[in-house]
Protein backbone atom coordinates (compact mmCIF):
# COMPACT_ATOMS: atom_id res chain seq x y z
CA UNK A 1 0.00 0.00 0.00
CA UNK A 2 1.12 3.57 -0.45
CA UNK A 3 -0.08 7.01 0.53
CA UNK A 4 -1.44 9.62 -1.90
CA UNK A 5 -1.73 13.21 -0.70
CA UNK A 6 -3.42 16.22 -2.21
CA UNK A 7 -6.37 16.92 -4.47
CA UNK A 8 -4.63 16.32 -7.77
CA UNK A 9 -3.03 12.96 -6.92
CA UNK A 10 -6.20 11.53 -5.34
CA UNK A 11 -8.40 12.77 -8.21
CA UNK A 12 -5.92 11.25 -10.70
CA UNK A 13 -6.00 7.93 -8.84
CA UNK A 14 -9.82 7.82 -8.90
CA UNK A 15 -9.90 8.60 -12.62
CA UNK A 16 -7.32 5.95 -13.39
CA UNK A 17 -9.35 3.31 -11.54
CA UNK A 18 -6.74 2.74 -8.83
CA UNK A 19 -7.92 0.77 -5.80
CA UNK A 20 -8.19 3.12 -2.83
CA UNK A 21 -8.61 1.31 0.47
CA UNK A 22 -9.10 4.35 2.71
CA UNK A 23 -9.62 8.06 2.04
CA UNK A 24 -9.66 10.74 4.75
CA UNK A 25 -10.87 14.18 3.73
CA UNK A 26 -11.70 17.51 5.35
CA UNK A 27 -14.86 18.84 3.63
CA UNK A 28 -14.27 22.46 4.70
CA UNK A 29 -10.76 22.44 3.18
CA UNK A 30 -11.78 20.76 -0.08
CA UNK A 31 -14.63 23.24 -0.56
CA UNK A 32 -12.14 26.05 -0.98
CA UNK A 33 -11.19 25.27 -4.61
CA UNK A 34 -13.25 24.14 -7.64
CA UNK A 35 -11.08 21.02 -8.07
CA UNK A 36 -11.40 20.24 -4.36
CA UNK A 37 -15.18 20.64 -4.44
CA UNK A 38 -15.40 18.33 -7.44
CA UNK A 39 -13.31 15.71 -5.64
CA UNK A 40 -15.36 16.11 -2.45
CA UNK A 41 -18.54 15.17 -4.29
CA UNK A 42 -16.92 11.98 -5.55
CA UNK A 43 -15.40 11.11 -2.16
CA UNK A 44 -18.76 11.46 -0.39
CA UNK A 45 -20.09 8.62 -2.54
CA UNK A 46 -17.06 6.40 -1.88
CA UNK A 47 -17.63 3.56 0.67
CA UNK A 48 -14.02 3.89 1.92
CA UNK A 49 -14.18 7.70 2.24
CA UNK A 50 -14.40 9.25 5.71
CA UNK A 51 -14.72 12.91 6.65
CA UNK A 52 -12.07 13.97 9.19
CA UNK A 53 -10.74 17.14 10.74
CA UNK A 54 -7.79 18.93 9.10
CA UNK A 55 -5.78 18.05 12.24
CA UNK A 56 -6.30 14.31 11.75
CA UNK A 57 -5.35 14.57 8.09
CA UNK A 58 -2.23 16.62 8.85
CA UNK A 59 -1.14 14.02 11.42
CA UNK A 60 -1.40 11.21 8.85
CA UNK A 61 0.14 13.15 5.96
CA UNK A 62 3.81 13.50 5.14
CA UNK A 63 3.55 17.00 3.67
CA UNK A 64 3.23 20.19 5.71
CA UNK A 65 0.15 21.26 3.71
CA UNK A 66 -1.77 18.12 2.76
CA UNK A 67 -4.60 20.07 1.07
CA UNK A 68 -7.35 18.32 2.98
CA UNK A 69 -7.14 14.81 1.54
CA UNK A 70 -5.04 11.69 2.10
CA UNK A 71 -5.67 8.27 0.54
CA UNK A 72 -4.26 4.82 1.03
CA UNK A 73 -3.89 2.99 -2.29
CA UNK A 74 -2.99 -0.54 -3.21
CA UNK A 75 0.20 -0.85 -5.25
CA UNK A 76 -1.12 -0.88 -8.79
CA UNK A 77 -0.11 -3.86 -10.93
CA UNK A 78 0.07 -2.38 -14.38
CA UNK A 79 1.13 -4.87 -17.05
CA UNK A 80 4.00 -3.81 -19.31
CA UNK A 81 3.01 -2.18 -22.59
CA UNK A 82 3.90 -3.47 -26.04
CA UNK A 83 7.65 -3.72 -26.63
CA UNK A 84 8.88 -0.19 -27.12
CA UNK A 85 11.01 1.52 -24.58
CA UNK A 86 12.13 -0.12 -21.33
CA UNK A 87 13.64 2.09 -18.64
CA UNK A 88 16.02 0.43 -16.18
CA UNK A 89 16.82 2.46 -13.06
CA UNK A 90 20.04 1.37 -11.40
CA UNK A 91 20.23 2.35 -7.70
CA UNK A 92 18.96 5.94 -7.94
CA UNK A 93 18.91 7.16 -4.33
CA UNK A 94 17.19 10.53 -4.14
CA UNK A 95 13.38 10.24 -3.85
CA UNK A 96 12.81 13.51 -5.73
CA UNK A 97 15.04 12.33 -8.59
CA UNK A 98 13.28 8.97 -8.84
CA UNK A 99 9.82 10.59 -8.79
CA UNK A 100 10.80 13.13 -11.46
CA UNK A 101 12.23 10.30 -13.57
CA UNK A 102 8.99 8.31 -13.32
CA UNK A 103 6.97 11.42 -14.24
CA UNK A 104 9.05 11.83 -17.42
CA UNK A 105 8.90 8.10 -18.21
CA UNK A 106 5.11 8.19 -18.09
CA UNK A 107 5.05 11.30 -20.27
CA UNK A 108 7.04 9.66 -23.08
CA UNK A 109 5.05 6.41 -22.92
CA UNK A 110 7.72 4.09 -21.52
CA UNK A 111 6.30 0.54 -21.73
CA UNK A 112 8.03 -0.86 -18.65
CA UNK A 113 10.14 0.51 -15.81
CA UNK A 114 12.44 -1.80 -13.87
CA UNK A 115 14.11 -0.59 -10.68
CA UNK A 116 17.14 -2.62 -9.65
CA UNK A 117 17.75 -3.90 -6.15
CA UNK A 118 19.29 -0.90 -4.34
CA UNK A 119 17.00 1.75 -5.82
CA UNK A 120 15.12 3.88 -3.25
CA UNK A 121 11.57 2.64 -2.44
CA UNK A 122 9.34 3.49 -5.42
CA UNK A 123 6.34 3.99 -3.11
CA UNK A 124 8.02 6.35 -0.61
CA UNK A 125 5.80 9.43 -0.13
CA UNK A 126 8.31 11.87 -1.63
CA UNK A 127 8.73 9.67 -4.72
CA UNK A 128 4.95 9.48 -5.16
CA UNK A 129 4.59 13.27 -4.83
CA UNK A 130 7.37 14.05 -7.33
CA UNK A 131 5.99 11.50 -9.80
CA UNK A 132 2.67 13.40 -9.99
CA UNK A 133 0.51 10.37 -10.66
CA UNK A 134 2.93 8.31 -12.77
CA UNK A 135 2.57 5.38 -10.33
CA UNK A 136 -1.02 4.92 -11.36
CA UNK A 137 -0.32 4.70 -15.09
CA UNK A 138 3.22 3.39 -15.50
CA UNK A 139 4.24 -0.27 -15.31
CA UNK A 140 6.84 -0.27 -12.51
CA UNK A 141 8.62 -3.16 -10.84
CA UNK A 142 11.04 -2.69 -8.00
CA UNK A 143 13.75 -4.78 -6.33
CA UNK A 144 14.38 -6.53 -9.64
CA UNK A 145 17.58 -8.62 -9.63
CA UNK A 146 20.10 -8.12 -12.44
CA UNK A 147 19.65 -11.66 -13.79
CA UNK A 148 15.92 -10.95 -14.11
CA UNK A 149 16.62 -7.59 -15.76
CA UNK A 150 18.85 -9.42 -18.24
CA UNK A 151 15.98 -11.76 -19.12
CA UNK A 152 13.55 -8.87 -19.64
CA UNK A 153 15.97 -7.21 -22.04
CA UNK A 154 16.48 -10.33 -24.14
CA UNK A 155 14.00 -9.25 -26.83
CA UNK A 156 15.16 -5.68 -27.10
CA UNK A 157 17.26 -4.62 -30.11
CA UNK A 158 19.49 -2.11 -28.35
CA UNK A 159 20.42 -1.68 -24.69
CA UNK A 160 21.64 1.89 -24.32
CA UNK A 161 23.19 3.17 -21.12
CA UNK A 162 23.76 6.79 -20.11
CA UNK A 163 27.50 7.06 -19.51
CA UNK A 164 29.40 10.38 -19.40
CA UNK A 165 32.51 8.62 -20.76
CA UNK A 166 30.79 7.16 -23.83
CA UNK A 167 31.45 8.51 -27.32
CA UNK A 168 28.10 8.05 -29.09
CA UNK A 169 25.79 11.06 -28.66
CA UNK A 170 22.32 10.04 -27.49
CA UNK A 171 20.81 11.53 -30.65
CA UNK A 172 22.97 9.33 -32.89
CA UNK A 173 21.31 6.26 -31.39
CA UNK A 174 18.35 4.72 -33.24
CA UNK A 175 15.40 4.83 -30.85
CA UNK A 176 12.76 3.68 -33.34
CA UNK A 177 13.38 -0.01 -32.62
CA UNK A 178 12.45 -1.69 -29.31
CA UNK A 179 15.16 -0.51 -26.97
CA UNK A 180 16.12 -0.08 -23.35
CA UNK A 181 17.73 2.80 -21.49
CA UNK A 182 19.81 2.18 -18.35
CA UNK A 183 20.45 5.07 -15.95
CA UNK A 184 22.68 4.88 -12.91
CA UNK A 185 23.19 6.19 -9.41
CA UNK A 186 23.60 9.95 -8.83
CA UNK A 187 27.15 9.71 -7.47
CA UNK A 188 28.55 6.45 -8.80
CA UNK A 189 26.90 6.13 -12.22
CA UNK A 190 26.25 2.67 -13.63
CA UNK A 191 26.99 -0.44 -11.61
CA UNK A 192 29.15 -3.25 -12.98
CA UNK A 193 26.02 -5.37 -13.51
CA UNK A 194 24.41 -2.57 -15.54
CA UNK A 195 27.56 -2.11 -17.63
CA UNK A 196 27.60 -5.80 -18.53
CA UNK A 197 24.09 -5.53 -19.98
CA UNK A 198 24.65 -2.26 -21.81
CA UNK A 199 25.59 -3.05 -25.39
CA UNK A 200 25.63 0.64 -26.38
CA UNK A 201 26.91 3.33 -24.03
CA UNK A 202 25.69 6.79 -25.02
CA UNK A 203 26.55 10.26 -23.79
CA UNK A 204 24.89 13.67 -23.71
CA UNK A 205 27.33 16.10 -25.34
CA UNK A 206 27.68 19.32 -23.33
CA UNK A 207 29.45 22.55 -23.98
CA UNK A 208 29.84 24.06 -20.54
CA UNK A 209 32.38 22.93 -17.99
CA UNK A 210 29.78 20.79 -16.22
CA UNK A 211 30.78 17.16 -15.99
CA UNK A 212 27.34 15.72 -15.49
CA UNK A 213 23.63 16.43 -15.25
CA UNK A 214 21.02 15.67 -12.66
CA UNK A 215 20.04 12.01 -13.28
CA UNK A 216 16.35 12.77 -13.85
CA UNK A 217 17.29 15.50 -16.32
CA UNK A 218 19.76 13.28 -18.20
CA UNK A 219 17.26 10.44 -18.52
CA UNK A 220 14.50 12.85 -19.60
CA UNK A 221 16.65 14.46 -22.29
CA UNK A 222 17.33 11.00 -23.75
CA UNK A 223 13.74 9.73 -23.38
CA UNK A 224 12.30 12.79 -25.15
CA UNK A 225 14.81 12.36 -27.99
CA UNK A 226 13.53 8.78 -28.28
CA UNK A 227 9.96 10.07 -28.46
CA UNK A 228 10.98 12.72 -31.02
CA UNK A 229 12.55 10.07 -33.26
CA UNK A 230 9.53 7.79 -32.91
CA UNK A 231 7.24 10.68 -33.84
CA UNK A 232 9.26 12.12 -36.73
CA UNK A 233 11.49 9.31 -37.87
CA UNK A 234 15.15 9.69 -37.12
CA UNK A 235 16.35 13.30 -37.16
CA UNK B 1 27.94 36.71 -0.65
CA UNK B 2 26.88 33.08 -0.73
CA UNK B 3 27.88 29.85 0.93
CA UNK B 4 29.58 26.93 -0.84
CA UNK B 5 29.64 23.58 0.93
CA UNK B 6 31.53 20.41 0.14
CA UNK B 7 34.78 19.43 -1.53
CA UNK B 8 33.57 19.50 -5.09
CA UNK B 9 31.89 22.92 -5.00
CA UNK B 10 34.78 24.61 -3.19
CA UNK B 11 37.38 23.01 -5.48
CA UNK B 12 35.32 24.10 -8.51
CA UNK B 13 35.15 27.65 -7.18
CA UNK B 14 38.92 27.81 -6.69
CA UNK B 15 39.57 26.48 -10.18
CA UNK B 16 37.15 28.96 -11.72
CA UNK B 17 38.90 31.87 -10.02
CA UNK B 18 35.92 32.80 -7.82
CA UNK B 19 36.64 35.21 -4.97
CA UNK B 20 36.45 33.33 -1.68
CA UNK B 21 36.36 35.62 1.34
CA UNK B 22 36.47 32.95 4.05
CA UNK B 23 37.05 29.19 4.03
CA UNK B 24 36.67 26.96 7.09
CA UNK B 25 37.99 23.43 6.79
CA UNK B 26 38.53 20.37 8.98
CA UNK B 27 41.91 18.86 7.99
CA UNK B 28 41.16 15.43 9.48
CA UNK B 29 37.92 15.18 7.46
CA UNK B 30 39.43 16.36 4.18
CA UNK B 31 42.31 13.90 4.52
CA UNK B 32 39.88 11.00 4.14
CA UNK B 33 39.51 11.23 0.34
CA UNK B 34 42.01 11.94 -2.47
CA UNK B 35 39.95 14.92 -3.70
CA UNK B 36 39.72 16.24 -0.14
CA UNK B 37 43.47 15.89 0.41
CA UNK B 38 44.14 17.73 -2.82
CA UNK B 39 41.82 20.56 -1.77
CA UNK B 40 43.36 20.67 1.72
CA UNK B 41 46.79 21.37 0.26
CA UNK B 42 45.41 24.33 -1.68
CA UNK B 43 43.40 25.66 1.27
CA UNK B 44 46.43 25.62 3.57
CA UNK B 45 48.11 28.14 1.26
CA UNK B 46 45.02 30.39 1.09
CA UNK B 47 45.21 33.58 3.23
CA UNK B 48 41.46 33.38 3.97
CA UNK B 49 41.55 29.66 4.88
CA UNK B 50 41.21 28.64 8.52
CA UNK B 51 41.36 25.16 10.03
CA UNK B 52 38.37 24.46 12.26
CA UNK B 53 36.78 21.53 14.06
CA UNK B 54 34.10 19.46 12.27
CA UNK B 55 31.64 20.77 14.91
CA UNK B 56 32.25 24.40 13.94
CA UNK B 57 31.86 23.58 10.25
CA UNK B 58 28.66 21.61 10.84
CA UNK B 59 27.21 24.55 12.79
CA UNK B 60 27.89 26.96 9.91
CA UNK B 61 26.80 24.58 7.13
CA UNK B 62 23.30 24.07 5.83
CA UNK B 63 23.72 20.39 4.95
CA UNK B 64 23.73 17.55 7.46
CA UNK B 65 27.07 16.23 6.15
CA UNK B 66 29.13 19.24 5.04
CA UNK B 67 32.18 17.10 4.10
CA UNK B 68 34.61 19.16 6.12
CA UNK B 69 34.64 22.41 4.15
CA UNK B 70 32.51 25.55 3.94
CA UNK B 71 33.39 28.70 1.99
CA UNK B 72 31.95 32.17 1.74
CA UNK B 73 32.12 33.47 -1.84
CA UNK B 74 31.39 36.80 -3.40
CA UNK B 75 28.56 36.77 -5.92
CA UNK B 76 30.41 36.28 -9.17
CA UNK B 77 29.77 38.88 -11.87
CA UNK B 78 30.09 36.90 -15.06
CA UNK B 79 29.46 38.96 -18.21
CA UNK B 80 26.93 37.53 -20.69
CA UNK B 81 28.41 35.45 -23.50
CA UNK B 82 28.07 36.19 -27.21
CA UNK B 83 24.44 36.30 -28.39
CA UNK B 84 23.27 32.74 -28.53
CA UNK B 85 20.76 31.40 -26.11
CA UNK B 86 19.18 33.49 -23.35
CA UNK B 87 17.26 31.69 -20.61
CA UNK B 88 14.55 33.67 -18.82
CA UNK B 89 13.28 32.13 -15.58
CA UNK B 90 9.86 33.43 -14.59
CA UNK B 91 9.11 33.01 -10.87
CA UNK B 92 10.36 29.43 -10.38
CA UNK B 93 9.84 28.77 -6.66
CA UNK B 94 11.49 25.48 -5.70
CA UNK B 95 15.21 25.87 -4.90
CA UNK B 96 16.01 22.34 -6.16
CA UNK B 97 14.26 23.05 -9.46
CA UNK B 98 16.07 26.37 -9.93
CA UNK B 99 19.46 24.81 -9.14
CA UNK B 100 18.87 21.89 -11.51
CA UNK B 101 17.82 24.34 -14.21
CA UNK B 102 21.00 26.39 -13.78
CA UNK B 103 23.08 23.20 -13.90
CA UNK B 104 21.52 22.30 -17.27
CA UNK B 105 21.82 25.88 -18.56
CA UNK B 106 25.55 25.83 -17.87
CA UNK B 107 25.90 22.43 -19.53
CA UNK B 108 24.38 23.62 -22.83
CA UNK B 109 26.35 26.87 -22.85
CA UNK B 110 23.53 29.36 -22.22
CA UNK B 111 24.99 32.85 -22.75
CA UNK B 112 22.84 34.68 -20.22
CA UNK B 113 20.32 33.72 -17.55
CA UNK B 114 17.78 36.27 -16.36
CA UNK B 115 15.63 35.53 -13.30
CA UNK B 116 12.51 37.67 -13.05
CA UNK B 117 11.39 39.44 -9.91
CA UNK B 118 9.56 36.74 -7.93
CA UNK B 119 12.03 33.91 -8.64
CA UNK B 120 13.46 32.21 -5.53
CA UNK B 121 16.86 33.60 -4.38
CA UNK B 122 19.51 32.34 -6.83
CA UNK B 123 22.12 32.23 -4.04
CA UNK B 124 20.06 30.27 -1.50
CA UNK B 125 22.17 27.30 -0.24
CA UNK B 126 19.87 24.64 -1.72
CA UNK B 127 19.94 26.35 -5.14
CA UNK B 128 23.75 26.50 -5.02
CA UNK B 129 24.02 22.82 -4.08
CA UNK B 130 21.62 21.64 -6.82
CA UNK B 131 23.40 23.80 -9.41
CA UNK B 132 26.69 21.93 -8.81
CA UNK B 133 28.95 24.88 -9.58
CA UNK B 134 26.91 26.56 -12.32
CA UNK B 135 26.91 29.82 -10.33
CA UNK B 136 30.63 30.17 -10.86
CA UNK B 137 30.50 29.81 -14.63
CA UNK B 138 27.08 31.01 -15.78
CA UNK B 139 26.08 34.64 -16.29
CA UNK B 140 23.09 35.02 -13.95
CA UNK B 141 21.11 38.11 -13.01
CA UNK B 142 18.28 38.05 -10.54
CA UNK B 143 15.36 40.34 -9.64
CA UNK B 144 15.27 41.56 -13.23
CA UNK B 145 12.12 43.58 -14.01
CA UNK B 146 10.04 42.66 -17.05
CA UNK B 147 10.72 45.95 -18.84
CA UNK B 148 14.46 45.23 -18.48
CA UNK B 149 13.98 41.66 -19.69
CA UNK B 150 12.16 43.08 -22.73
CA UNK B 151 15.17 45.29 -23.51
CA UNK B 152 17.60 42.38 -23.22
CA UNK B 153 15.57 40.35 -25.68
CA UNK B 154 15.40 43.11 -28.28
CA UNK B 155 18.27 41.66 -30.37
CA UNK B 156 17.11 38.08 -30.27
CA UNK B 157 15.47 36.56 -33.37
CA UNK B 158 12.97 34.30 -31.61
CA UNK B 159 11.51 34.43 -28.12
CA UNK B 160 10.21 30.94 -27.40
CA UNK B 161 8.18 30.14 -24.32
CA UNK B 162 7.43 26.71 -22.88
CA UNK B 163 3.64 26.48 -22.79
CA UNK B 164 1.70 23.20 -22.49
CA UNK B 165 -1.15 24.71 -24.54
CA UNK B 166 1.04 25.70 -27.50
CA UNK B 167 0.92 23.84 -30.81
CA UNK B 168 4.48 24.06 -32.10
CA UNK B 169 6.67 21.18 -30.88
CA UNK B 170 9.94 22.39 -29.37
CA UNK B 171 11.90 20.47 -32.01
CA UNK B 172 10.11 22.28 -34.84
CA UNK B 173 11.56 25.56 -33.59
CA UNK B 174 14.78 26.85 -35.17
CA UNK B 175 17.33 27.13 -32.40
CA UNK B 176 20.32 27.93 -34.61
CA UNK B 177 19.64 31.68 -34.54
CA UNK B 178 20.09 33.84 -31.42
CA UNK B 179 17.04 32.99 -29.37
CA UNK B 180 15.54 33.10 -25.91
CA UNK B 181 13.63 30.51 -23.90
CA UNK B 182 11.13 31.58 -21.24
CA UNK B 183 10.10 29.06 -18.57
CA UNK B 184 7.43 29.69 -15.96
CA UNK B 185 6.40 28.91 -12.42
CA UNK B 186 5.85 25.28 -11.34
CA UNK B 187 2.15 25.67 -10.59
CA UNK B 188 1.00 28.68 -12.58
CA UNK B 189 3.14 28.50 -15.72
CA UNK B 190 4.03 31.71 -17.54
CA UNK B 191 3.03 35.09 -16.13
CA UNK B 192 1.13 37.64 -18.21
CA UNK B 193 4.32 39.69 -18.59
CA UNK B 194 6.18 36.64 -19.93
CA UNK B 195 3.37 35.83 -22.35
CA UNK B 196 3.51 39.33 -23.78
CA UNK B 197 7.21 38.90 -24.64
CA UNK B 198 6.89 35.38 -26.03
CA UNK B 199 6.51 35.60 -29.76
CA UNK B 200 6.59 31.82 -30.21
CA UNK B 201 4.94 29.50 -27.69
CA UNK B 202 6.26 25.95 -27.95
CA UNK B 203 5.20 22.68 -26.36
CA UNK B 204 6.78 19.34 -25.52
CA UNK B 205 4.59 16.66 -27.12
CA UNK B 206 3.90 13.79 -24.73
CA UNK B 207 2.21 10.48 -25.15
CA UNK B 208 1.29 9.49 -21.62
CA UNK B 209 -1.58 10.97 -19.67
CA UNK B 210 0.77 13.39 -17.88
CA UNK B 211 -0.23 17.02 -18.33
CA UNK B 212 3.10 18.55 -17.55
CA UNK B 213 6.73 17.91 -16.65
CA UNK B 214 8.94 19.09 -13.84
CA UNK B 215 10.03 22.62 -14.85
CA UNK B 216 13.75 21.82 -14.74
CA UNK B 217 13.17 18.73 -16.88
CA UNK B 218 11.03 20.62 -19.41
CA UNK B 219 13.59 23.41 -19.77
CA UNK B 220 16.45 20.90 -20.07
CA UNK B 221 14.71 18.88 -22.78
CA UNK B 222 14.29 22.07 -24.82
CA UNK B 223 17.80 23.42 -24.10
CA UNK B 224 19.46 20.16 -25.16
CA UNK B 225 17.41 20.11 -28.37
CA UNK B 226 18.75 23.63 -29.00
CA UNK B 227 22.30 22.37 -28.45
CA UNK B 228 21.63 19.35 -30.69
CA UNK B 229 20.45 21.62 -33.53
CA UNK B 230 23.41 23.94 -33.07
CA UNK B 231 25.78 20.98 -33.21
CA UNK B 232 24.21 19.10 -36.11
CA UNK B 233 22.22 21.67 -37.99
CA UNK B 234 18.48 21.37 -37.75
CA UNK B 235 17.25 17.77 -37.45
Amino acid sequence: MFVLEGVRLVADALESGATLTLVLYAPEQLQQTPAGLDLLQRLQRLPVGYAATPQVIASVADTVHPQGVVALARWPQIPPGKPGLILVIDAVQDPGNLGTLLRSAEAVGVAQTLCSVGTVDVYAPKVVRSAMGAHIRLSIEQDVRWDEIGERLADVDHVYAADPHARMPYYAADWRQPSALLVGNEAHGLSEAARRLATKPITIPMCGRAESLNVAVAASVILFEALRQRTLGRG
Side-chain angles (χ1 to χ4, degrees), chain A residues 6-18 20 23 25 30 34-50 69:
Chain A
V7 171
R8 184 167 165 178
L9 267 184
V10 175
D12 257 18
L14 279 177
E15 267 163 45
S16 305
L20 302 183
V23 186
Y25 58 91
L30 289 183
L37 192 62
D38 189 58
L39 179 62
L40 176 61
Q41 286 162 356
R42 281 186 287 168
L43 293 179
Q44 285 168 335
R45 278 179 263 128
L46 211 66
V48 297
Y50 297 91
V69 59

Side-chain angles (χ1 to χ4, degrees), chain A residues 3-114:
Chain A
V3 175
L4 299 168
E5 297 180 21
V7 171
R8 184 167 165 178
L9 267 184
V10 175
D12 257 18
L14 279 177
E15 267 163 45
S16 305
T19 309
L20 302 183
T21 53
L22 178 68
V23 186
L24 298 177
Y25 58 91
E28 61 274 38
Q29 267 186 288
L30 289 183
Q31 279 161 2
Q32 288 166 15
T33 64
L37 192 62
D38 189 58
L39 179 62
L40 176 61
Q41 286 162 356
R42 281 186 287 168
L43 293 179
Q44 285 168 335
R45 278 179 263 128
L46 211 66
V48 297
Y50 297 91
T53 64
Q55 289 73 21
V56 167
I57 290 167
S59 72
V60 175
D62 191 61
T63 42
V64 183
H65 302 293
Q67 291 184 287
V69 59
V70 170
L72 206 58
R74 231 184 268 288
W75 290 8
Q77 295 294 334
I78 300 162
K82 61 179 188 304
L85 204 48
I86 298 177
L87 176 64
V88 181
I89 297 171
D90 176 14
V92 166
Q93 285 304 301
D94 180 82
N97 283 344
L98 180 58
T100 304
L101 231 166
L102 296 176
R103 182 177 179 186
S104 292
E106 201 270 329
V108 301
V110 159
Q112 193 174 10
T113 307
L114 305 173

